[in-house]
Every structure is written in C-alpha cells, then in structure tokens.
Amino acid sequence: LQTIFDNLPEGIVWVGGAPDYPVLANSRFGRELIGVPAGTEGEGSVHGDSVVLTPDGSRPLATEELPLYRASRHGERVNSVELLVQRADGTRVSVLVDAAPIRDATGAIIGAVNCWRDITERKRAEAAHHRSAERFRSLVMATTAIVYTTDPGGSFVAPQPSWQAYTGQPWEAHCGWGWLDAIHPEDRS
C-alpha cells in the first residue's frame, strides 16, 4: 500500500480511528508538499512542523477546523476546500483539500483519508490574470478617450461604461449596433 501511496501525484494521508487516530499511510508527494521529512510521518502531527492557514493566510486553522479532523472525528465529508500551508522553512503552498471518513459495516468511523492537491501555480496564474484585468480596467477608466470593446463584427455585446458616459446612450440603446445612432451620419462611412 505504501508503494502505491508513494507513486500517487497527490498528497494523501490515511489515519486510523479513535482513540489515537494513528497515521497509517502518507504519500511521498504529500510529505514533500507540506514539508514533512521522510520517515517522520507517523510522529506527532500529520502536518509535521507546518501550519495550515486560512486561504488568505490571515490565521492558522484551529485543530477542530482541519479537514482530516472533521472527517475522522465527526464523520464530515470535506470537499474542495482551499487552504494555505506554511512549511517549517517559511515557504507557503496553496492546496485544495478533500477529506472523508472511513466507516465499517455498522457505520462507525474507523479512520479517515485526506487528499491535498498543490494549486499554487493555479493561484499565481489567477492573481496575475486579476492584476492584468485590473490594470486594463484602470486604463479604460483613466483615459480621456472612449475605450470600448466589440465582437469581431463590430457589435457591442457587453455594456460599455465609457461609451455611455460620453454619449449618454444607456446599454439598451447602445447594445448590438445601437451605438451607431450616436454617430453623425456623415461619420459612419
């Protein structure tokens, strides 16, 4: 089983049940992802010396808030929760976490499994896209010229705030080809 865990491209932790909730298996990728040294995964916390933080990094999660705790102690399924892990060396990794209880035939919780995915690059790309969109929006709002966007045929397919501010045409009037009504007939050709 550990061989399978060590070859998965996911961070997976499997814990047993009460009263001790021992770590039964921890994937190599999971250990590397959160900075837990090989051979120490069964000692102390599942997270080693790393700290699990809220997605914005503003505060550490209380033990009771951790997805694996919620699954193993309360039987809760936790799906696609974004968190931030601060490793012992201070580096931070954005993760997407799923956790689920493991139950026996009677429904009693006998353990839980936790899956982490590294989404750090995705979060960086989203932030870069947001910054780029914000720069474009700021440029459009700051310019004295009228900046607008059209589809490939020249039709307005979304409201154009700078066009509306300059011409006074509300969206209902300038949508599609309605914007031409604000252009002098001699300037249309």
Side-chain angles (χ1 to χ4, degrees), residues 29 32-34 55 82-87 91-96 116-128 131:
F29 183 81
E32 291 169 0
L33 180 66
I34 61 173
E82 286 188 21
L83 297 171
L84 193 62
V85 174
Q86 182 170 309
R87 298 173 177 151
T91 59
R92 290 184 170 189
V93 181
S94 293
V95 294
L96 190 65
W116 324 69
R117 276 170 231 75
D118 185 348
I119 60 169
T120 305
E121 287 306 313
R122 184 187 91 190
K123 298 298 282 181
R124 284 185 186 137
E126 287 171 359
R131 284 190 304 274

Side-chain angles (χ1 to χ4, degrees), residues 149-158 175-177 179:
T149 55
T150 67
D151 68 9
S155 176
F156 285 169
V157 294
C175 68
W177 287 96
W179 63 272

Side-chain angles (χ1 to χ4, degrees), residues 51-55 59-67 70 83-84:
V51 178
V52 181
L53 307 165
T54 56
R59 69 173 181 83
L61 277 125
T63 301
E64 300 77 27
E65 296 177 285
L66 295 169
R70 291 162 49 194
L83 297 171
L84 193 62

Side-chain angles (χ1 to χ4, degrees), residues 38-51:
T40 63
E41 60 274 2
E43 302 169 11
S45 168
V46 169
H47 310 107
D49 291 330
S50 62
V51 178

Side-chain angles (χ1 to χ4, degrees), residues 154-174:
S155 176
F156 285 169
V157 294
Q160 307 292 320
S162 62
W163 181 265
Q164 182 172 336
Y166 185 76
T167 65
Q169 276 187 311
W171 167 238
E172 297 75 24
H174 73 263

